[in-house]
Amino acid sequence: PRGGHKGKTMPVSTDIEDSRIAAERGCLSTGIVLPVVPTTAPWPLAHFVPPPSPSQTAEFFADYYRTNTMGIRFAALLLMLGGCLYAPFFGALAVQVRRMEGGQSGVWTYTLLLSTAVASATFFLSGMFFGLASFRPERSVEIQSVLNDLAWFELVIPAIPATVQAFALGLATLSAPDSARAQPRWLGYANLWFGMLFLPGCAIMLFKTGPFAWSGLFAFWIPGIFFVLWLGLMTWAGWRGAAQFRSPQ
């Protein structure tokens, strides 16, 4: 009769479960590649480490693109690739957040997905603007200066959506019941801490010099270093969480 299985959990085959785990871990494996982007793209390819100060003249940046044209182009391609790989990595984490929410409101799942879309787009656009600036290095210094500013803003400003991502992951972990928590509780607090460390990156529009400029300690170095550490930590946590809860057989 219809509805005979109402209220019962339908068994899920081992093959389906194994495929689900493999898919999640496959997406999470991009977390191994993602840290390469913020390290290899600025240095050694683009020679942007240490990053040039935004207080430099337009002529300085124009010469920068003329003297290392190919290196900046390859760095731009790498940044665009990183922007694309960002999506499957956090998509897999969003699946785990959805499981922790138990299919109820889904507020942290959607928050994570939407902030990931913003961060992915800004990383991609940073590479595109670096690529545009290096594509015709003979342009006027004024145009090169605008493209350079756009590129650096797009590279550092993902600190804002990254903060939202970290908070969504942290709050989802802390609010989940023990039976549904895919990640250790301490990681929830760690995500909140990482989010606060990323936040100073939003100040780059206000400063051309000092620790909050795009080349500064609080806006670039601290968020950048801890962003790489965060990706590594979430790769481990996501890999672990993928197989933590299996559907009943």
Side-chain angles (χ1 to χ4, degrees):
R2 292 185 178 180
H5 294 288
K6 188 176 181 180
K8 296 181 180 180
T9 302
M10 298 299 292
V12 180
S13 70
T14 302
D15 289 343
I16 294 176
E17 280 292 281
D18 289 344
S19 296
R20 176 189 65 77
I21 293 170
E24 284 186 35
R25 286 181 168 175
C27 290
L28 287 163
S29 65
T30 60
I32 301 172
V33 181
L34 279 172
V36 176
V37 173
T39 53
T40 307
W43 178 91
L45 290 177
H47 300 167
F48 281 155
V49 176
S53 171
S55 63
Q56 294 284 1
T57 64
E59 289 79 7
F60 172 87
F61 285 109
D63 288 339
Y64 220 103
Y65 288 96
R66 295 189 190 107
T67 56
N68 187 30
T69 302
M70 291 306 298
I72 295 173
R73 288 176 183 174
F74 282 116
L77 288 172
L78 195 58
L79 286 169
M80 288 189 284
L81 174 63
C84 294
L85 293 179
Y86 207 71
F89 179 77
F90 283 97
L93 291 176
V95 170
Q96 296 185 16
V97 170
R98 185 62 171 164
R99 287 203 297 271
M100 286 194 287
E101 291 187 286
Q104 300 300 318
S105 68
V107 62
W108 300 125
T109 304
Y110 295 123
T111 300
L112 178 58
L113 286 173
L114 291 172
S115 56
T116 295
V118 175
S120 178
T122 53
F123 274 125
F124 188 89
L125 287 172
S126 71
M128 182 177 291
F129 286 127
F130 278 125
L132 284 171
S134 62
F135 186 66
R136 299 186 191 277
E138 70 278 4
R139 287 191 189 96
S140 68
V141 295
E142 292 80 9
I143 296 176
Q144 288 295 80
S145 179
V146 171
L147 291 173
N148 177 75
D149 287 349
L150 285 169
W152 277 101
F153 270 52
E154 295 290 348
L155 180 63
V156 181
I157 215 67
I160 300 175
T163 296
V164 177
Q165 288 176 294
F167 282 176
L169 287 165
L171 293 172
T173 301
L174 294 173
S175 61
D178 292 341
S179 59
R181 188 175 293 119
Q183 297 166 1
R185 186 174 178 81
W186 62 263
L187 191 60
Y189 294 107
N191 270 299
L192 298 180
W193 180 66
F194 277 115
M196 288 186 285
L197 290 173
F198 299 153
L199 198 54
C202 70
I204 62 171
M205 296 183 180
L206 306 175
F207 300 92
K208 292 182 181 178
T209 59
F212 290 101
W214 77 45
S215 58
L217 176 65
F218 294 135
F220 180 84
W221 290 104
I222 290 179
I225 291 170
F226 282 97
F227 180 73
V228 172
L229 294 175
W230 182 53
L231 290 175
L233 184 61
M234 293 312 300
T235 301
W236 166 81
W239 191 276
R240 173 182 176 273
Q244 187 166 353
F245 300 104
R246 285 181 175 269
S247 300
Q249 304 299 308

